[in-house]
Amino acid sequence: MKNTKPKSKVAPAGAAKRRVSRPRSAYSKDEIREIFRRFSIQRPEPKGELEHVNPFTLVVAVALSAQATDAGVNKATRALFAVADTPEKMLALGEDRVRDYIKTIGLFRNKAKNVIALSRKLVDDFGGAVPRSREELVTLPGVGRKTANVVLSMAFGQATIAVDTHIFRIANRICLAPGKTPDEVEARLMQVIPDDYLYHAHHWLILHGRYVCKARKPECERCVIADICKSPEKTCDIPAPLVELPPQAIAAAQ
């Protein structure tokens, strides 16, 4: 007698992977466009808040900003960049003196070592010039993908998304581009942000996270996208008036 028990179906290779739905943006394309339209009205020309005078000092400032505030980095680097604004000058200064300039910044000993090492590599491998590709930038000591993306955007005008703690928090909190890692969030933001808003999107999101959608307690009553926001933490549905903010006061030329 034949076994009439139905055979179990064998799932094709990769089926399990397909069944796991990747987190997606909670917003429609029109909603995302409206979010960034409002950010563009509020801050037409957003800027990074790390002071620098050229691509080299920008690389150094961003590398120093890991686990530190921009204000704290600016306070330390004003005097440093006044005497060492090129890799050659930084090498001439030496690690001990660099360390003295940045000793108010967290992890200053290791960061001083990296500043000298990246200056050496720039001189030896790149003729003293900051490279214009992510692949080359991340070969510099103390420079990761986030730092490279900031430099590509601010120094060379490339549309990139540098996922720092603010952007990582915002992307997940408001369900704009959920991801478990900075790389995942970066990839999803690059997919959902309209091309015509992409260049400034990095700074809009950082400034929104720094001054409105704050880590400990978001100030929803000051948010221009409160009516669109889908965050479960949201405390207000009425958007703040959509007006242009005063220009940012950035001391050093950008």
Side-chain angles (χ1 to χ4, degrees):
M1 182 176 176
K2 292 184 178 180
N3 186 351
T4 57
K5 185 178 179 180
K7 295 181 179 180
S8 60
K9 293 183 179 180
V10 178
K17 185 176 182 180
R18 286 197 297 271
R19 283 198 299 268
V20 178
S21 59
R22 296 177 62 188
R24 294 185 178 182
S25 176
Y27 304 83
S28 68
K29 289 183 179 180
D30 288 343
E31 287 172 328
I32 293 174
R33 173 165 286 280
E34 178 62 13
I35 287 171
F36 287 97
R37 184 191 75 83
R38 294 186 192 182
F39 285 161
S40 73
I41 292 173
Q42 188 180 46
R43 291 186 172 94
E45 294 294 332
K47 293 179 173 65
E49 297 188 319
L50 283 172
E51 297 174 6
H52 63 282
V53 295
N54 55 33
F56 169 69
T57 54
L58 177 61
V59 172
V60 173
V62 181
L64 293 177
S65 71
Q67 300 183 47
T69 65
D70 287 1
V73 172
N74 290 341
K75 185 177 180 180
T77 57
R78 286 179 193 131
L80 174 63
F81 294 158
V83 297
D85 59 357
T86 68
E88 293 83 359
K89 291 178 183 178
M90 197 67 75
L91 288 173
L93 197 61
E95 184 178 330
D96 289 346
R97 292 189 64 194
V98 170
R99 188 168 59 243
D100 289 340
Y101 277 104
I102 66 170
K103 61 187 177 183
T104 57
I105 302 175
L107 307 175
F108 68 94
R109 290 184 178 84
N110 190 56
K111 288 178 178 179
K113 186 179 298 184
N114 282 337
V115 167
I116 292 299
L118 75 83
S119 298
R120 172 59 63 194
K121 188 170 181 65
L122 285 172
V123 170
D124 291 347
D125 296 353
F126 299 102
V130 175
R132 292 172 175 257
S133 76
R134 184 183 293 109
E135 293 73 21
E136 291 175 317
L137 281 167
V138 297
T139 67
L140 301 175
V143 175
R145 186 179 180 89
K146 186 203 80 171
T147 298
N149 281 342
V150 173
V151 174
L152 291 175
S153 172
M154 293 178 64
F156 303 126
Q158 297 184 31
T160 62
I161 298 290
V163 180
D164 68 349
T165 55
H166 292 298
I167 292 185
F168 187 79
R169 181 181 73 253
I170 295 298
N172 281 285
R173 173 186 275 168
I174 73 172
C175 309
L176 177 64
K180 294 181 179 180
T181 66
D183 286 355
E184 283 185 8
V185 169
E186 178 189 339
R188 286 165 187 163
L189 285 172
M190 293 294 288
Q191 289 174 348
V192 303
I193 297 172
D195 289 344
D196 49 329
Y197 289 125
L198 188 57
Y199 177 66
H200 285 315
H202 163 243
H203 286 130
W204 283 326
L205 290 171
I206 285 178
L207 295 170
H208 186 65
R210 183 173 290 162
Y211 298 115
V212 180
C213 200
K214 298 178 180 179
R216 292 186 179 180
K217 185 180 180 182
E219 299 181 6
C220 300
E221 69 281 358
R222 297 179 55 228
C223 178
V224 295
I225 62 167
D227 55 326
I228 305 174
C229 178
K230 301 183 190 297
S231 171
E233 300 177 48
K234 184 171 70 170
T235 59
C236 175
D237 288 319
I238 301 173
L242 186 58
V243 295
E244 183 175 338
L245 296 176
Q248 291 170 256
I250 308 298
Q254 296 195 20

